[in-house]
Amino acid sequence: MSTQLSAGSTIETRCTRCKGILNHSIVAMVGEKIVRVECSTCHGVHAYHPAKALKGPAADKATSKKAAAPRKTKVDPEAAARAEWVELQPGMDSAQAIPYDMNRPFRLKNLLSHPNFGLGIVQLLIPPNKIDVLFQDGKKRLRCG
Ligand SMILES: [Zn+2]
């Protein structure tokens, strides 16, 4: 960028009549901006059409910042419950499982066997008459006595 452009300077730009990039003389400038040029080939005077403006870093302003970091996928509680059941399963002795009966009381860690859900471990007592039981299918809230 050694040459300072001014009226009278020759530059290469697109001629609207010749439809090509040709030498033009600068006819008029506003500040450092070329506004009118004269084609050296057809001598037509026309507005200066800058050859495809270079996209500088200024064009990167649009960088979006609004998108917050995506949340980490929460651990699926059901999957977690299944994993927990699998972990506890070796310790479950089905012979000692208490057949589930909604009228009998259960205690924490009781092993019970449910006609639909199979073996489960009482994980939470919810007074007055509910229990959370971890089954292979996940946690279930059951009635108890
Ligand atoms: Zn021309």
Side-chain angles (χ1 to χ4, degrees):
M1 295 291 182
S2 50
T3 40
Q4 197 78 8
L5 291 173
S6 60
S9 299
T10 300
I11 54 155
E12 277 196 338
T13 186
R14 185 174 185 81
C15 174
T16 46
R17 250 185 257 180
C18 305
K19 312 268 185 210
I21 306 294
L22 295 160
N23 279 334
H24 285 70
S25 310
I26 296 169
V27 173
M29 288 186 72
V30 173
E32 294 195 336
K33 229 170 92 184
I34 304 159
V35 287
R36 292 193 79 76
V37 289
E38 182 189 328
C39 176
S40 310
T41 307
C42 68
H43 295 285
V45 174
H46 56 80
Y48 172 67
H49 307 286
K52 276 163 204 164
L54 292 171
K55 278 185 185 168
D60 290 352
K61 259 188 183 173
T63 310
S64 165
K65 275 181 191 167
K66 66 182 174 186
R71 279 164 193 262
K72 287 255 160 117
T73 322
K74 265 206 250 168
V75 177
D76 176 2
E78 283 185 27
R82 270 192 290 272
E84 195 181 351
W85 189 90
V86 167
E87 208 172 289
L88 295 171
Q89 200 269 333
M92 297 180 192
D93 180 358
S94 56
Q96 289 185 20
I98 304 159
Y100 172 70
D101 182 334
M102 61 185 268
N103 293 314
R104 71 173 292 165
F106 288 92
R107 287 197 212 145
L108 220 51
K109 306 275 185 197
N110 270 172
L111 181 67
L112 63 82
S113 77
H114 190 279
N116 298 324
F117 307 132
L119 287 178
I121 287 177
V122 179
Q123 289 203 312
L124 187 65
L125 304 176
I126 305 158
N129 59 356
K130 294 221 167 66
I131 47 174
D132 271 1
V133 184
L134 178 68
F135 290 106
Q136 187 167 16
D137 282 350
K139 218 166 270 187
K140 312 278 183 199
R141 184 152 296 178
L142 302 175
R143 275 198 61 158
C144 68

